[in-house]
Amino acid sequence: PTPTKPTAPPSTVTRPPVINRAAWGADESAVKDPPEYIEKVKAVFVHHTVGTNDYSCAQSASLVRGIMTYHVETEGGNDLGYNFLVDKCGQVFEGRAGGIDLPVRGAHTHGFDGDSTGIAVLGDFEGDPATDEPAGRPTRAALESVARVAAWKLGQYGGDPAGKVTLTAADDTGVWKKGDQASLNTVSGHRDGFATVCPGKNLYAKLGEIRRYASGAGRNSAVPTGDFNRDGITDLIAGTPQASSSRGRVTVVPGGPDGPVGASRISLTQTSTGVPGTSEAGDNWGAATAWGDLNADGHADLVIGAPGEDDTSGNADRGAVTMLYGPKFTSGTDMQLSDDFHYPGARFGSAVAAGDFNADGKADVFAAATGTGGSWAARLDPEHESGGSLTSGDTAIAYPDAASGDFNRDGYADVALTYRDQAGKGKVAWFRGGRSGLSRVGVLSVPGGRSVAVGDVNGNGYDDLVVGQPYTAESGAHAGGQVTVVPGTSTGFTTTGMKTVHQATSGVPGAAEAGDAMGWSVAAGDYNLDGYADVLAGAPDEDITRADKNRKDAGTSLLLKGSSSGLTGSGAKAFSQDEPDVPGSTESGDRLGSSVTLADLSGTGRASLAIGVEGEDSGDGTILQLDSGSSGVPGSSGVYYGRTLLGTPAGARLGRSLTP
């Protein structure tokens, strides 16, 4: 090793966002000696830090500080040994000092520090039978971030993440003798070089997936995020397009270790500083929203649809899509539209989604319009936009909803769009990502509905499509509505293994009755940490009888479990204001389930529930948030985020739209 600071070579791979030492609070006074550098990074060793798996990602920085203290004060090291650390939310932290783009010599894999970089995942993936400590399961976000870092560092020196490398052991390691020519995978586990169980059996088993991802297009892709303030926790967007004579408003509620922090909400309208456009009655600003890191700075940015926006050429309801940049949302731009959208009634922005469609490290924007047969557009940057028609008809389509995910696991984000066509039939269109961006593949054979979501429901690594089908007329749904999960595969969607669940499915609470509208809203996330995405479905038109009195359209929501065989009714749970311990009371017209989200709003790795109740308090609306824990989803964890806490106007119908 040499203390001479080399020149950082460029990489063939996009560098992922990295939280530097100053940001996580490294104690630089504890570092006594200057950094040393190696000639080149020939290999990557993956580690686990042991410790706890039960942490919030808001605590990750403090965990990294603790590891540094342990390495320096207990182990007698000069600095933190790992070059990089990754938490379960996919955040990447700079480890050992010296420059993240330089070949810093670490202290992580004895005998091979002189040829490699070390990446450690926060958590214990081996477990301890002696103490009944279970082995953790590495998250997809963590695996993909490890792969991105590995690909970027190897890309500086021509290394192949899927290949082999021969390294000379600098000392006896318990696996190799000093001077041995060790043939190793370029991306190896700590145990491959040194006598240890690190990185734990569960993480070691995923090294093949890390190599695969690091070798594909995904290594360059933007890290999916809904974290605008970069505290490690997903944040909540509540769109209220009917606020203030339908001018519209968007409220951002930061996530926190104990759930969303209503007191820290950010209220945005088109009159807010830096927001493009003019706030006018009927704009419906906030009718559709999405998160995505559009400028690759690590902060989630806002995508906001306003289908009622008029343009300056007299085209009423032409629609617009606004992008606002986190963390402050005081600057942004409107999506530049082709001439195809410059007509009255286009209602562009009726549905939006964000994802890295061309895997260039920045999230891109998808938006749909309902006028004249429907159309779509995808924006890669101000100079590159694609789009086209959805149907061959001239009359409007209705009820569009879009979601983004990697359905064929090729590293490019795709989009699924559901809508009701001119004949009143529900359709689902698939748009596939690729090097040139998004292209329309076609319409699935599976009927569409009113809502779509994305999650790996069967746990095989491919994103699956969740379709909410609330009405028989548009989708041939079961009485009362249903949810259908269409599996993703390497070639796209398949009906093999497709599962449909409704209130007549065994294990699902309630009765399937016409008009319940189960599937009006859907969301996907893993609430019980079993490795399968679960599904939350809103049924806002469900009638609930209490004390012999019928509460029409009171609404409910149904939490359905994912499994290796797909979606199941077994173990399903219902959440409404009539369930034990859930705060509030069931009333006619509440429409609980008008929107739903199932996302990690506390940074624990478990998806929490947020349920919109747009009709609460005569249309003021509210959001019911329920925390997930090791005991499930206790109703007593429920918290209401209403007009008083979030500052929305009277009659805004808070809970109509939620993201993620």
Side-chain angles (χ1 to χ4, degrees), residues 55-111:
Y55 65 90
S56 166
C57 292
Q59 301 168 318
S60 296
S62 65
L63 293 179
V64 174
R65 291 194 297 271
I67 293 167
M68 179 179 177
T69 299
Y70 177 76
H71 283 190
V72 173
E73 295 186 4
T74 302
E75 294 194 327
N78 180 57
D79 192 358
L80 210 164
Y82 309 120
N83 298 96
F84 300 92
L85 300 97
V86 174
D87 71 7
K88 59 187 173 184
C89 295
Q91 295 186 110
V92 180
F93 295 84
E94 177 185 8
R96 201 170 184 86
I100 59 174
D101 54 349
L102 295 173
V104 177
R105 180 186 175 95
H108 51 84
T109 307
H110 183 70

Side-chain angles (χ1 to χ4, degrees), residues 493-553:
F493 295 108
T494 178
T495 56
T496 302
M498 185 173 74
K499 293 295 181 67
T500 296
V501 175
H502 40 70
Q503 284 184 290
T505 301
S506 177
V508 179
E513 301 163 321
D516 286 347
M518 177 185 173
W520 181 275
S521 57
V522 291
D526 185 0
Y527 84 91
N528 55 3
L529 288 184
D530 64 353
Y532 304 104
D534 309 299
V535 173
L536 181 62
D541 294 343
E542 171 104 347
D543 298 345
I544 294 179
T545 299
R546 187 179 71 250
D548 297 325
K549 182 178 179 181
N550 182 52
R551 272 77 174 173
K552 181 176 175 56
D553 296 343

Side-chain angles (χ1 to χ4, degrees), residues 407 415-417 419 426-431 440-448 452 465-467 485-487 491-495 498:
F407 302 117
V415 169
L417 173 74
Y419 58 91
K427 303 289 186 182
V428 179
W430 175 32
F431 303 84
R440 185 173 184 269
V441 179
V443 175
L444 304 186
S445 60
V446 179
V452 287
L465 177 64
V466 183
V467 185
V485 175
V486 189
T491 56
F493 295 108
T494 178
T495 56
M498 185 173 74

